[in-house]
Amino acid sequence: MRLLRAGITLAGFLLIWGLITAILGLPKFLLPSPLIVAEALLTHASLIADNAMTTAIEILVGLILGVLFGMVSALLISAYRPVKQWVFPLLIASQAIPVFAIAPLLVLWLGYGMAPKIVMSLLIIYFPVTVGFLDGLNRTEPVWLNLAGLLQQSGRTGRFRKLVNLYLYIKIPFALPSLASGIRVAAAIAPIGAVVGEWVGASSGLGYLMLHANARVQTDLMFASLLVLTAMALLIYYLIDALLLRALPWLSTHNNNTTQ
């Protein structure tokens, strides 16, 4: 049903787009029709595919690293009060810095390769994952925390071991739905970091291709690259969503209720 809705929405969008270009008689350098964009997509298929591969690698590597760093940061902030007092305000303040202000510095420091784009994706992904997971860790039911405290009083394990058990068996399982929500948000916005980095400085990638196509007034190629980027973003999101539902099957009931 979800795929059918997406197909109907896409068909309606293409129909409206085609009608606008036909009725207004817009030149193709201003707004090409869907047919012209499809022709450009076929003509430059090899070029677009090569650049799409670069962007896909940047997005996926940034997504993996961003999720890992976000999870570790959330655990440290939740478990240790000094980390929360010193690091969490810096985490919030970092979101006031525009992405475009960081991108040139990363290119200057890391060069024109994939590294600055991966770091850009990581920085954008890091915040929603950290905050989502941290919120889930802090919302553990007090009843379970009290029960864990009573059980741990009867044992002779050390303080660190008790903390590990608390998070491993109580807090982390209860925080997984919030972590899944953060990862979904991260998957949706992951392409932003890679493309912004490619706009600032790159030698390949869909952002690089769109920038150069725009400079040469190849609007059809720019739209074709944008459509491929959109399709890639949707594919990554739904792949992550499917993996999360497979790993956390109890989330499927909630998702079905919200999408109906």
Side-chain angles (χ1 to χ4, degrees), residues 24-142:
L24 299 180
L26 299 173
K28 72 174 186 177
F29 70 86
L30 187 61
L31 180 63
S33 67
L35 293 177
I36 294 177
V37 174
E39 182 181 354
L41 185 60
L42 295 175
T43 302
H44 303 283
S46 178
L47 176 64
I48 294 174
D50 291 340
N51 287 276
M53 182 62 66
T54 300
T55 303
I57 294 173
E58 294 166 353
I59 293 172
L60 291 176
V61 175
L63 182 61
I64 293 172
L65 294 178
V67 170
L68 291 177
F69 278 105
M71 291 175 62
V72 172
S73 299
L75 288 171
L76 291 175
I77 292 172
S78 174
Y80 299 102
R81 184 176 297 273
V83 177
K84 181 178 181 180
Q85 292 174 342
W86 289 95
V87 175
F88 193 67
L90 295 177
L91 179 65
I92 301 299
S94 67
Q95 298 306 299
I97 303 175
V99 175
F100 277 99
I102 303 175
L105 294 175
L106 292 177
V107 173
L108 178 64
W109 294 335
L110 302 176
Y112 285 86
M114 287 188 181
K117 292 79 177 178
I118 292 174
V119 174
M120 282 292 298
S121 295
L122 187 155
L123 292 176
I124 289 179
I125 292 163
Y126 173 77
F127 184 77
V129 174
T130 303
V131 172
F133 194 28
L134 180 62
D135 183 65
L137 293 171
N138 292 336
R139 289 180 180 271
T140 307
E141 292 291 339

